[in-house]
Amino acid sequence: MERLFREFIEQWGYGLSSGLMYMPGTFSETQELIDLLNSIPDKSNLLYASHLRGYSDTFLMAVQEAIDISRATGVRVECSHLGPFGTQYKKELRIALDLLEHADEEGLQIGFDTLAYCGGSTTIMAIVPPWFYTDGIDTFLGRLRNDEDFFKRVIEAMETYVPTWPSWEGEGWTDNFVRCLGWKNLIVLSAKNSAFQGKSIAAIADEIGCPVAEAFRKIILEEHGRAIMLMAGVGTCLDEQSGDMSGFDSMVEHPLGTIGIDAI
């Protein structure tokens, strides 16, 4: 891999990006990333950009990992989409900004980007624990449709699983969206069935008169796992009680930050 990376940089590649919250990148160890970057003789213009290894329970550890990579390699580091998932992590966001500010004061070249809106988008499969579909999406959907015990285990994991650190030593799932955002903040953005669009999974459950877990099963089966979801509450800015957007403002106004959007 180091040889391929060197060839890429020699052919005018700009740097290295990683998706440490996605499969299979979540199983990449920190030292592996450091070794890849250090395999380049001249790192003066090299950039490392990464979706962090967790934006909820392991958010601060993921930010520290990015800082450690910058310190160990000397390359410029960009933390993609800094805002954590869920308003309950608002205090962690301030701590994360402090960590990045201290790294900047240390002389490290590190920054972040943040979305320009209070949400994020991904596929509906991203809210499913990945160990349930290791045999492929078709097999997973078939079991979800026909095996009630399997269905119950999937829902239980979606509602209770707590990610561990480091991700490569655990199950590899860095963020449990249902647990950190809630069914009401998972909104169907795009689907073949237009009746689903613009509604949260919780609202669809109320509309068709079934438990929210059954509504999720109906959506994912009918859409064959391809529905696109809007995740409301990313960036800590969706505070239903007070309307407080100070967490979001602290990111978009920060001198180490920039606006970056990669919505699906």
Side-chain angles (χ1 to χ4, degrees), residues 25-87:
T26 182
F27 291 107
S28 298
E29 298 185 16
T30 309
Q31 191 59 49
E32 177 184 359
L33 297 167
I34 290 171
D35 290 344
L36 272 174
L37 292 166
N38 280 337
S39 70
I40 305 302
D42 181 6
K43 301 192 293 290
S44 57
N45 293 313
L46 201 64
L47 173 67
Y48 171 63
S50 179
H51 278 74
L52 300 176
R53 198 188 299 275
Y55 289 83
S56 51
D57 295 273
T58 63
F59 174 58
L60 290 179
M61 290 174 278
V63 172
Q64 186 60 57
E65 178 185 38
I67 294 171
D68 291 342
I69 290 173
S70 177
R71 184 179 294 116
T73 63
V75 305
R76 292 174 295 152
V77 171
E78 174 86 358
C79 301
S80 297
H81 315 331
L82 186 69
F85 301 153
T87 57

Side-chain angles (χ1 to χ4, degrees), residues 73-141:
T73 63
V75 305
R76 292 174 295 152
V77 171
E78 174 86 358
C79 301
S80 297
H81 315 331
L82 186 69
F85 301 153
T87 57
Q88 66 269 40
Y89 300 106
K90 189 171 186 176
K91 291 181 180 179
E92 281 85 347
L93 175 58
R94 183 59 260 174
I95 296 171
L97 292 174
D98 288 343
L99 289 172
L100 292 168
E101 289 169 9
H102 293 154
D104 178 65
E105 292 169 359
E106 181 185 330
L108 302 182
Q109 298 183 79
I110 191 164
F112 66 90
D113 65 67
T114 183
L115 299 176
Y117 55 96
C118 302
S121 58
T122 190
T123 70
I124 195 170
M125 289 303 301
I127 70 176
V128 178
W131 56 89
F132 285 114
Y133 52 87
T134 53
D135 293 328
I137 302 301
D138 289 340
T139 299
F140 165 74
L141 294 175

